[in-house]
Amino acid sequence: AGGTSDTVVCTVNAGFYGNGVTNCTKCKSCCAFATLSQPCLAGGTSDTVVCTMKAGYFGDGITNCTQCKAGFYSSPGEGVGT
């Protein structure tokens, strides 16, 4: 009698990273004043999210989105976070 082997291949969905079996972690999200310029793609093994700050705000785009003081400005993308 011959033996068989079942190999299970799991892939994480877009918006998550990990090996799909024992590790499936949600990718970071951009704060309200930043736009997602690079998402986590399906099958990713690391968090690849990049957020770009909107005009008038600065910070990393993920945990820090701060409005510029009156009389000051920033152009879109000046505060880019990963």
Side-chain angles (χ1 to χ4, degrees):
T4 61
S5 174
D6 290 330
T7 302
V8 176
V9 177
C10 297
T11 302
V12 293
N13 292 328
F16 293 84
Y17 67 96
N19 64 19
V21 178
T22 60
N23 181 10
C24 184
T25 305
K26 185 170 176 49
C27 295
K28 295 174 281 203
S29 298
C30 298
C31 61
F33 302 106
T35 56
L36 181 64
S37 51
Q38 179 177 310
C40 278
L41 302 176
T45 57
S46 63
D47 191 335
T48 57
V49 165
V50 175
C51 301
T52 302
M53 297 302 303
K54 294 180 180 178
Y57 293 85
F58 66 95
D60 66 9
I62 297 167
T63 61
N64 179 18
C65 290
T66 305
Q67 187 172 18
C68 295
K69 292 180 182 180
F72 292 85
Y73 73 94
S74 70
S75 298
E78 284 189 334
V80 177
T82 56

